[in-house]
């Protein structure tokens, strides 16, 4: 529990994740793990960002299942809906409404500079749609609707958060204080887990090479195989170093899951080969994910319970976010309903 004085108002945290396929170890260590640990000390709200996910084409049947699985998996990771309202973005209509308004306070030039837009429009060059371009205004709406103070994300989302602040400042500048300016919350370990096959690139669930990522729901022997195949270097020394991206990444993963420092890990594996080290990392990851996988299997087989939870979450989120939307609409000059 927080040791902050009881009179001090708890800060608000908001974050979301796209249900665009398997949730990876990168998502877990970079973002989800922090979502869980922040729940006691802050007012947290979390969402499955399914509106964002259709910026890339989705098969309806698979998509429906992915949304439910993402919801169940986040619960399994430790999101506690009693403490943190937890909902599905498309169930709360204020998100799309505020996103439209914020689009009109976001510049074309700002959106053009977003690295994620540049990367994704290259990757999906046959479908560079307007949603992919205005993705950050919807993300800004998600955050600003709840007057969030902090947003736990991996480092790749920092640029979107800076844009969110700029949009909020611009709006506040024109209409007076309306939005809280959010800060990114990026942990020092696990903020950027790299691909196991090309450790100069981030581990990404949309990577076509399945050996590049570990899914939170991968079976133990699959996880072990993927770690054993991880690309390293020819030096055979377990120690952080320049030009050792593969080993640096494995040490980073080991350190994040065990809480040991990189130096302690290097000392433990001094004189041992990469084979031993990879096996140890694989085992540590398997043990971290095992209880999550067990809980996931329980949740996903209890659909009625999931529906009850996400409905409650959406009701709460709508009530809270409507206050901000009403305020915004009044300031812009819309007539009251
Ligand atoms: P995609 O591969 O489709 O871009 P993604 O794996 O990046 O998807 P998102 O839903 O965009 O997944 O991200 C969810 C959260 O996980 C974000 O906070 C993001 O910063 C974090 N995250 C994603 N990949 C990593 C990674 N490799 N290391 C650390 N954090 C990550
Ligand atoms: N763009 C984010 C997912 C996301 C998000 C948000 C994260 C959508 N809305 C609001 C934090 C706050 C991503 O991780 N790719």
């Amino acid at each position: 529990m927080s040791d902050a004085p009881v009179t001090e108002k708890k800060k608000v945290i908001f974050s979301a994740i796209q249900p665009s396929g398997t949730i990876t170890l990168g998502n877990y260590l970079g973002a989800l793990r922090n979502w869980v640990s922040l729940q006691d000390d802050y007012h947290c709200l979390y969402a499955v960002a399914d509106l964002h996910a259709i910026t890339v084409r989705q098969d309806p049947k698979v998509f429906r299942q992915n949304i439910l699985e993402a919801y169940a998996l986040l619960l399994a990771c430790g999101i506690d809906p009693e403490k943190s309202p937890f909902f599905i973005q498309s169930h709360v209509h204020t998100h799309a409404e505020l996103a439209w308004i914020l689009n009109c306070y976001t510049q074309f030039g700002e959106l053009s500079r977003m690295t994620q837009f540049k990367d994704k429009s290259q990757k999906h060059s046959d479908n560079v749609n307007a949603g992919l371009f205005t993705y950050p205004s919807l993300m800004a709406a998600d955050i600003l609707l709840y007057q969030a103070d902090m947003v736990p994300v991996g480092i790749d989302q920092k640029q979107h958060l800076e844009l969110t602040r700029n949009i909020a400042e611009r709006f506040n500048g024109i209409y007076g204080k309306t939005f809280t300016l959010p800060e990114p919350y990026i942990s020092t370990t696990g903020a950027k887990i790299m691909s196991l096959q090309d450790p100069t690139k981030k581990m990404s669930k949309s990577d076509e090479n399945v050996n590049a990522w570990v899914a939170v729901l991968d079976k133990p022997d699959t996880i072990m195989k993927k770690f054993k195949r991880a690309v390293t270097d020819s030096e055979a020394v377990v120690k952080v170093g320049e030009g050792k991206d593969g080993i640096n990444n494995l040490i980073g993963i080991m350190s994040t899951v065990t809480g040991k420092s990189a130096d302690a890990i290097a000392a433990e594996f001094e004189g041992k080969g990469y084979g031993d080290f990879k096996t140890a990392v694989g085992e540590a990851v398997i043990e971290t994910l095992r209880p999550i996988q067990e809980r996931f299997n329980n949740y996903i087989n209890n659909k009625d319970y999931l529906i009850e939870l996400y409905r409650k979450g959406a009701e709460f989120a709508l009530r809270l976010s409507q206050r901000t939307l009403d305020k915004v609409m009044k300031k812009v000059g819309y007539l009251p309903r």
Side-chain angles (χ1 to χ4, degrees):
M1 286 296 282
S2 163
D3 45 17
V6 278
T7 48
E8 201 172 292
K9 210 170 146 250
K10 271 192 187 177
K11 291 199 164 173
V12 177
I13 296 245
F14 179 86
S15 200
I17 187 167
Q18 299 186 70
S20 50
T22 11
I23 287 177
T24 66
L25 185 66
N27 300 138
Y28 179 67
L29 298 180
L32 302 178
R33 196 176 50 106
N34 297 325
W35 295 17
V36 173
S37 62
L38 292 164
Q39 294 183 108
D40 285 331
D41 295 332
Y42 299 92
H43 284 304
C44 299
L45 290 114
Y46 296 122
V48 173
D50 57 346
L51 294 175
H52 279 104
I54 63 160
T55 52
V56 171
R57 203 64 74 226
Q58 302 286 345
D59 173 85
K61 238 177 155 177
V62 178
F63 188 39
R64 203 168 290 127
Q65 187 61 20
N66 279 347
I67 298 169
L68 194 69
E69 285 190 6
Y71 193 88
L73 186 54
L74 264 59
L75 290 176
C77 286
I79 303 294
D80 176 355
E82 290 292 324
K83 290 185 196 155
S84 319
F86 176 34
F87 61 96
I88 296 173
Q89 185 191 31
S90 65
H91 291 175
V92 185
H93 58 77
T94 44
H95 289 244
E97 290 170 24
L98 182 62
W100 171 254
I101 296 177
L102 296 184
N103 265 330
C104 303
Y105 296 81
T106 309
Q107 297 302 307
F108 180 88
E110 289 177 305
L111 292 171
S112 315
R113 285 194 287 277
M114 294 296 111
T115 314
Q116 183 175 300
F117 172 68
K118 290 192 230 166
D119 287 352
K120 296 230 161 158
S121 45
Q122 244 178 16
K123 243 191 218 163
H124 306 278
S125 55
D126 56 334
N127 183 22
V128 184
N129 57 72
L132 195 63
F133 189 62
T134 61
Y135 180 114
S137 328
L138 176 58
M139 182 162 161
D142 296 342
I143 298 165
L144 300 177
L145 275 172
Y146 301 97
Q147 308 290 352
D149 297 285
M150 284 200 302
V151 183
V153 281
I155 210 154
D156 61 306
Q157 295 300 311
K158 196 167 169 230
Q159 197 186 28
H160 286 161
L161 270 170
E162 279 157 9
L163 179 56
T164 301
R165 283 176 69 91
N166 291 344
I167 298 171
E169 268 182 321
R170 182 170 304 139
F171 195 95
N172 287 351
I174 303 171
Y175 299 103
K177 175 142 185 356
T178 312
F179 297 123
T180 302
L181 299 188
E183 301 274 351
Y185 176 98
I186 298 169
S187 66
T188 43
T189 56
K192 195 167 186 187
I193 303 297
M194 309 309 276
S195 153
L196 296 183
Q197 290 298 309
D198 176 359
T200 60
K201 282 192 338 202
K202 86 162 187 166
M203 180 182 284
S204 166
K205 60 189 166 209
S206 47
D207 199 317
E208 278 158 23
N209 183 348
V210 296
N211 289 318
W213 43 263
V214 167
V216 172
L217 294 176
D218 270 346
K219 292 202 167 67
D221 54 336
T222 309
I223 298 177
M224 190 52 92
K225 254 190 241 152
K226 289 182 179 178
F227 276 106
K228 285 195 171 155
R229 284 189 194 149
V231 168
T232 47
D233 54 78
S234 53
E235 201 190 30
V237 179
V238 179
K239 197 171 183 205
V240 172
E242 222 171 289
K244 290 169 71 72
D245 297 317
I247 283 297
N248 294 349
N249 187 37
L250 293 182
I251 293 178
I253 293 174
M254 188 68 159
S255 165
T256 312
V257 297
T258 60
K260 293 179 189 166
S261 70
D263 286 345
I265 293 167
E268 193 179 330
F269 287 90
E270 201 180 337
K272 292 188 185 149
Y274 284 168
D276 286 349
F277 181 53
K278 286 179 177 180
T279 306
V281 180
E283 277 166 0
V285 169
I286 290 168
E287 286 322 309
T288 303
L289 300 182
R290 193 188 301 281
I292 297 176
Q293 299 187 347
E294 284 168 9
R295 286 195 293 265
F296 172 81
N297 290 331
N298 287 332
Y299 284 126
I300 204 66
N301 290 318
N302 200 342
K303 200 169 163 187
D304 290 345
Y305 179 63
L306 293 176
I307 294 174
E308 189 189 317
L309 284 185
Y310 72 55
R311 280 196 181 141
K312 261 199 211 157
E315 255 172 53
F316 185 94
L318 179 61
R319 244 182 296 131
L320 201 61
S321 59
Q322 189 74 57
R323 284 195 225 156
T324 303
L325 184 64
D326 287 349
K327 201 156 88 174
V328 167
M329 292 185 76
K330 191 170 169 199
K331 290 194 175 194
V332 171
Y334 287 108
L335 286 173
R337 277 171 233 233

